[in-house]
Amino acid sequence: MPKTIVFDIEVFANVFLFCGRVLENRNLIVIWGHEPNARERLLEVFQSGCTFVSFNGIKFDDPVISAFIAGYDQETCKRIANTIIEHQMQPWEAKRRFKLPEIQYDHIDLIEVAPSFVGLKAYGARMHMRWLKELPFHHDAIIEPDQLEAVEAYCVNDLDTTEELYKR
């Protein structure tokens, strides 16, 4: 039976983080950009034949993940992320502009199918999620080593909300 992975990323000038949860067995996949073989490990995850579930992953996460896998450093990935947001860039525009590879995988983006035009936190509030966390640092902050745990906790919290939205 194919596995389903709910995923999210966090990106700062000095941090790239991928978090995914395999829904069938609850395994958590955490890949930090500074870890050895992070790019190869991330590519393996996306080539695993699983179905991936995100919230706004097509427009944001996918191009940034493609940039990271292609070898862009964390600072450049953050610049790409900022450009996507600031210019409301479509994914094909980002991939063309930054010469990003196309990674083929089965992807359900919940922002495309959810019945309203609100953000993930608003869905979390509507679903009465236990924790509604905002990003604990300014999006342009330089993350210190003692802050990595908070970044991961924030990302995993978004996985919880995305998973619950997917189930509903």
Side-chain angles (χ1 to χ4, degrees):
M1 176 176 171
K3 289 187 167 59
T4 307
I5 299 175
V6 173
F7 76 97
D8 192 24
I9 64 168
E10 302 305 327
V11 62
F12 296 87
N14 66 327
V15 169
F16 177 91
L17 172 64
F18 169 89
C19 288
R21 181 179 297 124
V22 180
L23 297 186
E24 291 79 6
N25 62 20
R26 312 298 299 155
N27 285 347
L28 189 62
I29 302 164
V30 178
I31 299 174
W32 291 94
H34 63 271
E35 294 174 330
N37 303 316
R39 287 174 176 79
E40 294 82 4
R41 289 177 45 224
L42 189 55
L43 182 58
E44 283 177 20
V45 168
F46 279 96
Q47 292 178 334
S48 66
C50 295
T51 297
F52 290 83
V53 179
S54 69
F55 189 87
N56 201 31
I58 291 173
K59 287 188 176 180
F60 182 77
D61 300 67
D62 182 73
V64 178
I65 288 168
S66 295
F68 181 75
I69 288 173
Y72 286 94
D73 61 31
Q74 295 171 132
E75 185 175 356
T76 304
C77 288
K78 175 59 176 165
R79 280 198 304 269
I80 290 169
N82 285 354
T83 301
I84 291 168
I85 293 167
E86 291 165 8
H87 298 284
Q88 299 177 352
M89 190 174 280
Q90 294 299 317
W92 59 87
E93 294 173 304
K95 288 187 175 187
R96 185 178 62 238
R97 178 173 176 181
F98 299 108
K99 298 176 178 52
L100 303 176
E102 189 68 42
I103 301 167
Q104 298 294 322
Y105 60 99
D106 187 22
H107 187 181
I108 300 169
D109 188 342
L110 296 177
I111 203 169
E112 302 289 326
V113 296
S116 179
F117 297 101
V118 298
L120 185 61
K121 303 300 181 279
Y123 279 114
R126 290 177 181 176
M127 296 183 300
H128 306 287
M129 294 298 294
R130 185 172 174 205
W131 301 106
L132 296 175
K133 294 182 182 179
E134 291 298 326
L135 189 62
F137 311 104
H138 188 273
H139 71 91
D140 280 330
I142 298 298
I143 303 301
E144 300 298 328
D146 65 341
Q147 297 172 319
L148 294 175
E149 187 176 311
V151 172
E152 184 175 329
Y154 171 77
C155 193
V156 169
N157 184 71
D158 278 357
L159 292 183
D160 295 339
T161 305
T162 304
E163 177 181 353
E164 185 62 25
L165 183 59
Y166 174 67
K167 288 177 178 177
R168 289 184 186 210

